[in-house]
Amino acid sequence: MLKRIRQRIAEMKLRNKLLVSYFVASVIPIVIISLTIYRLSADSIEEASKEFTSMYISQATTNLDDFVRRFDQSTRSVLVERDIMRILSSKPADKMDELIQNKEVIQRFFSRTLLVYPEMKTITLVSSLGHIYHHTRAPDTINAAALQEQSWYRHIRDTERQIFITPVHNRSYYNGDKEGAAFTVGRVLWNYNGSYAGMILVDLDPSELIQLNKDFIKLGNRYEIRLIITNIAGEIIYHSDAAMGRRPWNEMIGQSYKAGDAKKKGDRIVLFDLADEGKLLISAEIPIHKLLAGINGVKQVTVWAIIACLVFIVSISFTNSYRITKPINELRKSMKQLELGHYSTLIQVPSSNDEISSLVTSYNKMILRIKELIEDVFISGMKRKQAKLLALQAQINPHMLFNTLESIRMKAVVKEQDEIAEMIKVLARMFKLSLGKERERNLVRHEVEYAANYIYLQNIRYDNRFTLEIRLSEEVLNTPIIPLVFQPVVENSIKHGFQNYDKRLHILIEEIRLDSSDALIRITDNGISISQGKAREINAILQHAETSFHDPDPEDRDTDSGIGLRNIAERLKLQYGERYYLKISEERGAGTVVELLIPLL
């Protein structure tokens, strides 16, 4: 199957390949990125909700433990009140004065307790015989018979626990305000001998058990997060829906809740913690569908965004593929004409300044360059033939010239003209270097020798006014170089730098080794300096020296030296490449510097 798909793709035209590649390369990342963002966003919201809820549960657990501890402290004092314990353990007083005294004792206890713990609004003491002593901040009383008929009361009466918290229940045992719901926190009182002494009860509003902060209320209303407190039996003591007013407290009376059953449904996140040493369970529910309701809206927007992107991508892909393939097809047609030998077919350059436009421009330049090269090759062939003819004409047997010069030198020796004989000997040596077989492998050493011979001849003419100093290493001296390079430069130094016969002209040939495998040879004289304007003018000519087969303009040649600086620059570029050069500059103080960059071969 994959092989067939690859074959079909290979057989597709470039335009269709571009369309498919644009589509696949754009759609797949968009889909993957969108799904990844959705999943990461959902996980992030879920984790953030879990962290917030877990933190709030932990805080609620701490508050609930603190609540139980405070109630334990507030009701423990009754155990050391001997008068209170005596009143609760004995029968009600028959005498009026004793009855009044007992009520005053109990009232003082109520006052002290409410003063220390102002959050308590009602306190009830139940004696061992069921007699009730009640105190409340509100103008209301408790019906003792109705209280004792409550199921939670009968259950607590039979338990051996000291501190207890009842599930939420109604207020039907109140004589006045019976609306709403309450939960009761109490302590079972025992005498020192272990006998039952009674109970102390505190009724509280369930909404006041946990104080919900604004953040929880905001998230609770948005995502329907529920905070539920139950006892071990699952009976509801507190429910955040009722505390926030979403549901009435009466619906919570007699209801039970199991955190494990809610977790098994799988449609909600359930977190829980234990309080009061494991006697109370604090649970939190987060409906998943509410949690992801906002992100689902993002999902729908993402789907529509993907569809819009697909439409946009298809249109852009079609336009770009057409713009790309059109000039390529034109190139293909032109290349076919090129194969047939038609070099005049040029392609219209696209208006856009992109790679395709650059390619077309380069192709057109290549066609023109090929035509020029064909013409140059033809011309160079003709010039080679002409050069061979000139070389044959110039190859008058050099031995005849050397023998003639030797005959003249011997004649000068016979006539005792030693200076003339030495000059002819040096001149013969120079001819041998320039015309002999040593030109086939000319070294820097030979160029130095040629320049030294030239200086020798000029010193005879100018009464030893010139000195030549050589500072070149053996490696540079043994480096091959094109012939006739140093002598024309030395000749120019004498011609343009020597004008004062009272001063000697010193010429220095030295090297500067570069980091690369090149050497910079400097020929410096202490004569008259060249002007900066003249140096710039000459350097401009040397920098643009011709590297083609065409002859330079005769006007540019140095007629006095035979081979000018431009000739040297042209031959350097032809032999070694464009990066090698000849440059002239002014020496600070006095003199002129000529620099030649050559490779160390």
Side-chain angles (χ1 to χ4, degrees), residues 18 28 32 85 89 143 197 220 229 324 326 328 338 356 391 400 433 436 462 497 522 547 567:
L18 289 175
I28 292 179
I32 292 176
M85 295 300 294
S89 301
N143 187 326
I229 301 176
I324 292 173
K326 181 180 178 181
I328 292 177
L338 194 61
I356 299 296
M400 181 271 293
L433 289 172
Y462 291 99
R522 290 167 52 93
T547 57
N567 182 281

Side-chain angles (χ1 to χ4, degrees), residues 259-277:
D261 295 341
K263 193 172 184 179
K264 290 179 181 178
K265 293 182 180 179
D267 60 346
R268 64 195 70 187
I269 301 171
V270 180
L271 305 175
F272 55 86
D273 195 5
L274 295 175
D276 191 19
E277 299 180 354

Side-chain angles (χ1 to χ4, degrees), residues 398-409:
H399 294 289
M400 181 271 293
L401 179 59
F402 298 150
N403 292 336
T404 302
L405 290 175
E406 183 63 18
S407 298
I408 296 172
R409 188 181 75 85

